[in-house]
Amino acid sequence: MREAVLWILAALYLGTVLYLVVAPAGFYQNAPGVSATGPYNMHFIIDVGLAFGVSALALAWGVWAKSKPVIVFGAAWIALHGLFHLVLWLTRGDRLGEAALTDLGVVVLPALVTAALAVKYKEIEHA
């Protein structure tokens, strides 16, 4: 069951890659709260997409190969990205509006789940 969740998360992150790399302007315009962080920067958005890509592929490869170090590597950037968003919430005092709730559901919680499953992977290797 836990491996299935890791597969789903890897697929979610690969979908994120496609959105960020193929349609960076669409991401900037449509993702709640993104345009409030500053002016459109295609280069930055695609860079983030590529980071998601490396993480997603490592996560998928790690689950396929049943390799905890590769899974942890795949989860590392995702976890740091989620932590960064959480710190922004706490330091900026964001209200719980649409952007914050989207951020919680799309960035922070999946990152926490990914990190927790990666750290506990040894327990689920043979499940």
Side-chain angles (χ1 to χ4, degrees):
M1 174 64 175
R2 292 180 189 179
E3 282 188 348
V5 174
L6 285 169
W7 279 116
I8 291 167
L9 288 165
L12 170 73
Y13 299 132
L14 283 172
T16 301
V17 172
L18 290 176
Y19 193 19
L20 291 166
V21 173
V22 173
F27 172 80
Y28 178 80
Q29 294 168 354
N30 298 318
V34 171
S35 62
T37 64
Y40 173 71
N41 184 331
M42 180 191 69
H43 181 110
F44 177 72
I45 293 170
I46 292 175
D47 280 350
V48 171
L50 295 174
F52 265 110
V54 170
S55 290
L57 291 174
L59 194 60
W61 181 11
V63 175
W64 177 78
K66 298 195 181 308
S67 172
K68 181 176 181 169
V70 178
I71 291 171
V72 169
F73 173 80
W77 185 85
I78 292 166
L80 291 172
H81 179 245
L83 180 63
F84 172 66
H85 279 245
L86 189 58
V87 167
L88 285 177
W89 270 18
L90 298 173
T91 59
R92 291 189 324 202
D94 285 350
R95 309 265 186 297
L96 285 179
E98 178 188 0
L101 290 175
T102 300
D103 201 39
L104 176 66
V106 176
V107 178
V108 177
L109 289 178
L112 293 174
V113 170
T114 303
L117 291 175
V119 168
K120 293 182 175 232
Y121 187 77
K122 187 171 185 82
E123 299 171 9
I124 63 173
E125 280 180 316
H126 304 299

